[in-house]
Amino acid sequence: MDGNANIVDVATMFEAIIIGAGQAGLAAAHELTRRGLVPGRDFLVLDSNEGPGGAWRHRWDSLTLGRAHGIADLPGLTLDRPEGSVPASTVVAGYYGSYEEKFSLKVVRPVRVTRVEPTDPQDRTSPLRVSSEDGRSWLTRIVLNATGTWTNPYVPFIPGIGSFTGRQLHTANYRRARDLSGQRVLVVGGGLSAVQFLLELEGTAETTWATRRPPNFTEGQFDGGWGLAVERAVRERTFSGRQPASVVRTTGIPMIEPYMDGVARGILVSRGMFDRITPDGVIFGTPAPPRAQGLGPSDATRLAVPESWRPFPAGTELKADTIFWNTGFRAALRHLAPMRLRRGRGIPLVDEVTPAVDPRVLLVGYGSTASTIGATRAGRLAGRTAVKLLRR
């Protein structure tokens, strides 16, 4: 449903509002529906996109579900797995769209939420007001926030970053290798996206890999037990109010044949990290110590691959046409600032979805649940938690 055709009177009180119609938001909507709440009457789902698919609709053309970490089925509808050549953006957009129709979720879009605030700051039981960029607003008793990270890409500050006259590209804006054809591309970041893009750009662009530490290769098994261990490591941080660690620090890079071949060919070889940016390139700083520095649950199996760590000497200048930042994302939570959920640099949680400061806002797909499997689990938990709070 188009949002412009469904403007809701601000006097209308909804039991709950879900912000975001990705994996977490749809799973939460299903749980609310399963427990008797009616979409469009008792609760709303607001989404900033023009159509279904969440962040997946913005992924690059070459990404397929075979190359990605995959996507978990939403509750109540199995995803038909297409052939591996179909872009993940197409597959997931179709799947989410079918899901919205099957359960009549009546998603209101496009709605870019800019502010969530209490109607009475002195009363922790007062309704919340949800306001959007286009001037619309709604009242609700509980917000289930499922905005993910895709709209909040992170780029570290490096002296001189504003002086660069070439192109600065982030994972969120990448579409296809041919857009960088013939360029000198500096790929920044030690995660799986950087690894995959370096291999994809091979033969199309002249690439250099920059990471702060030696690439975190691991020979551990990336199975269900590994996934649970990763979530445990992230959960320990988020429950205590610290920021979730980056994925690569928690997971490492698997030592699979295509990646090891990339190291052998000199493609997946880090040159260390630059500490200054010039108008036409970068200047490298002092290399980090040559050892793996993972923080995840599989530290015992992490191995430094010496061939993948050949840092430039300090002071080395490198010319570049494009700096390609694969430096991750941060939780998209700016619209929740008026709720004052933070303590220090993070948001303390009492469980995987409930902030310790104020349970009127539930964080779905945050921290340890920021994965397709975790997001589905969080959606269910948030739906159950919301209904319990509403029935008090």
Side-chain angles (χ1 to χ4, degrees):
M1 174 182 302
D2 289 333
N4 292 334
N6 191 39
I7 298 178
V8 182
D9 191 324
V10 294
T12 302
M13 172 67 69
F14 290 93
E15 296 292 277
I17 287 180
I18 299 172
I19 306 175
Q23 186 91 17
L26 294 179
H30 178 271
E31 188 66 22
L32 292 182
T33 301
R34 195 175 74 84
R35 292 176 180 271
L37 276 68
V38 178
R41 187 193 74 186
D42 301 321
F43 74 92
L44 287 181
V45 182
L46 308 178
D47 187 60
S48 63
N49 290 295
E50 296 289 337
W56 286 93
R57 66 185 280 116
H58 305 291
R59 301 296 173 93
W60 50 98
D61 295 350
S62 63
L63 184 68
T64 65
L65 291 184
R67 293 186 59 192
H69 294 296
I71 181 171
D73 288 343
L74 286 161
L77 182 64
T78 301
L79 170 64
D80 291 330
R81 306 283 165 172
E83 61 177 272
S85 61
V86 180
S89 56
T90 300
V91 174
V92 179
Y95 176 47
Y96 286 6
S98 297
Y99 195 84
E100 293 175 13
E101 291 180 12
K102 177 179 174 64
F103 295 103
S104 301
L105 297 182
K106 301 180 180 178
V107 178
V108 184
R109 59 167 57 97
V111 177
R112 187 179 298 277
V113 172
T114 56
R115 191 173 181 85
V116 175
E117 59 191 326
T119 53
D120 182 353
Q122 306 306 316
D123 183 0
R124 287 296 180 90
T125 64
S126 68
L128 303 178
R129 185 180 304 279
V130 178
S131 302
S132 68
E133 188 176 61
D134 60 12
R136 286 177 288 175
S137 64
W138 301 264
L139 297 179
T140 184
R141 294 177 62 189
I142 293 179
V143 165
L144 292 79
N145 188 81
T147 48
T149 62
W150 189 260
T151 59
N152 192 24
Y154 171 71
V155 174
F157 174 77
I158 306 289
I161 189 170
S163 70
F164 186 63
T165 58
R167 181 184 184 188
Q168 296 197 51
L169 179 68
H170 190 275
T171 313
N173 310 116
Y174 177 79
R175 288 296 172 267
R176 59 194 67 85
R178 68 173 179 268
D179 293 341
L180 301 173
S181 179
Q183 294 189 21
R184 297 165 297 181
V185 180
L186 179 61
V187 179
V188 188
L192 292 178
S193 292
V195 168
Q196 291 165 359
F197 289 142
L198 284 159
L199 294 177
E200 183 168 321
L201 291 170
E202 184 180 5
T204 299
E206 178 186 330
T207 59
T208 301
W209 192 14
T211 68
R212 292 192 180 280
R213 301 176 180 87
N216 233 353
F217 285 101
T218 176
E219 61 180 4
Q221 294 298 312
F222 284 61
D223 53 17
W226 163 85
L228 293 174
V230 168
E231 287 193 354
R232 234 183 353 258
V234 178
R235 190 180 302 123
E236 290 174 1
R237 293 179 62 87
T238 52
F239 274 33
S240 64
R242 291 178 291 168
Q243 287 184 327
S246 65
V247 173
V248 71
R249 294 177 70 188
T250 310
T251 64
I253 304 169
M255 295 177 67
I256 59 178
E257 185 175 351
Y259 296 170
M260 293 299 95
D261 287 346
V263 172
R265 294 195 307 274
I267 301 300
L268 300 184
V269 176
S270 172
R271 297 301 186 175
M273 188 61 186
F274 50 93
D275 58 10
R276 279 185 291 160
I277 300 177
T278 66
D280 59 357
V282 300
I283 300 176
F284 281 75
T286 303
R291 63 185 179 89
Q293 299 186 23
L295 297 180
S298 58
D299 285 341
T301 64
R302 291 179 188 270
L303 300 176
V305 178
E307 295 82 2
S308 69
W309 179 243
R310 299 176 185 171
F312 287 135
T316 299
E317 295 188 34
L318 180 76
K319 305 297 183 185
D321 301 303
T322 294
I323 300 177
F324 188 1
W325 301 99
N326 288 270
T327 43
F329 300 80
R330 298 290 185 265
L333 302 177
R334 290 190 182 94
H335 57 290
L336 299 181
M339 298 303 300
R340 302 180 182 276
L341 301 177
R342 291 187 178 275
R343 292 295 181 267
R345 298 186 63 187
I347 300 176
L349 302 176
V350 298
D351 57 34
E352 286 193 298
V353 299
T354 310
V357 176
D358 196 329
R360 288 175 296 179
V361 176
L362 302 177
L363 302 179
V364 195
Y366 170 80
S368 60
T369 62
S371 66
T372 58
I373 296 175
T376 297
R377 183 180 73 249
R380 287 172 164 162
L381 175 58
R384 293 195 302 269
T385 302
V387 170
K388 288 179 182 178
L389 292 171
L390 291 170
R391 290 177 177 169
R392 282 183 181 177

